[in-house]
Structure formats: structure tokens, C-alpha cells
Amino acid sequence: MFKLPVCPFCGTVYRYKEVFSILRKSLRIGKKEKSEECYHCKKHFKASFFPGILVLLPLWLLLSVGMNLFLLNRMTRLDLWLMFIATLILMALVIVLLPFFLTFRKVGEDTKKKDKNTKKKK
């Protein structure tokens, strides 16, 4: 599923720039407000990563290490700047792809699931 997230209430499609700003807000340390507001329907939702991010980060790590080992093997002299620039390019690629791994969920959805699970156990 490689697409930008949509509002869980009204289905409004968010643009890349808007999703990236929500991503930056959600990653801030010490943020008191955990939910975001839809600009169309004015309802609140949570922004979170779905499990696909667990595939992206190890893949980035493997590509970085593999590319650096390839460069070390092919270079006639040790040029660390080339390896550093290649790693930065891969890191920039991951940052560009991060908004595609964000999903929007209704604010009360997590608490409702927990309540249903506790009622079933009782």
C-alpha cells in the first residue's frame, strides 16, 4: 500500500506537503496534543506509522551497508567522503518516503478496541 493517507471520517485525500507537516508535528518531543484536525470535516484523528515502516528502516540499513561495502571494494583509494555522500542520499530517500508510511486513525478507535478486549476477558 504505497499511497498517502486519507481522513478516516470524510475520506479527504491529503497532499504530500500536508502529510509531511503532520509527520513533523507528530515526531516533536514533548507534544501535548496527540491528535490532528481534518481541514475538511474538522474531526480529530491520530497520525501513526503502520507496520510497513518496520520493513523500510531495515531495508535502508541493509542498502546502506551493502552500498558502502561495494564502494570500499571498488575504490582504489579510501575515500570516505564518497561513502558519506552515498549514505546521505539513501537517508534522504527514506525521509522522502516516510509520509507514505503514515496512516490516520480515529481518535477513539484504539480505546474502543481495548474496551472490547477487556469486556471479552471478563
Side-chain angles (χ1 to χ4, degrees):
M1 189 163 107
F2 194 72
K3 61 181 181 176
L4 291 171
V6 296
C7 175
F9 297 101
C10 63
T12 301
V13 178
Y14 279 76
R15 294 188 177 120
Y16 181 85
K17 187 176 181 180
E18 296 161 343
V19 175
F20 200 77
S21 67
I22 290 172
L23 175 70
R24 283 188 302 155
K25 287 179 193 175
S26 67
L27 292 177
R28 279 194 190 134
I29 298 173
K31 183 183 170 194
K32 293 180 182 177
E33 187 178 329
K34 298 287 183 182
S35 64
E36 301 292 331
E37 184 181 59
C38 176
Y39 66 86
H40 187 258
C41 66
K42 305 295 183 209
K43 293 184 181 178
H44 290 272
F45 57 84
K46 277 184 171 181
S48 62
F49 289 107
F50 62 88
I53 195 73
L54 298 175
V55 173
L56 180 68
L57 295 180
L59 183 65
W60 169 76
L61 183 66
L62 286 173
L63 282 174
S64 295
V65 170
M67 185 174 54
N68 285 331
L69 288 175
F70 176 77
L71 288 174
L72 270 175
N73 193 18
R74 293 294 179 184
M75 290 189 302
T76 56
R77 61 184 177 93
L78 186 62
D79 193 7
L80 294 179
W81 285 106
L82 182 62
M83 292 172 51
F84 180 69
I85 290 170
T87 304
L88 283 180
I89 289 171
L90 278 176
M91 189 180 294
L93 180 66
V94 167
I95 291 171
V96 166
L97 292 176
L98 273 180
F100 292 101
F101 291 90
L102 194 69
T103 184
F104 296 155
R105 297 179 188 203
K106 296 179 182 178
V107 172
E109 192 173 291
D110 295 333
T111 56
K112 287 179 186 177
K113 286 180 183 178
K114 289 178 185 176
D115 291 340
K116 286 180 184 178
N117 289 339
T118 56
K119 287 179 184 177
K120 287 180 183 178
K121 289 180 182 178
K122 291 179 182 179

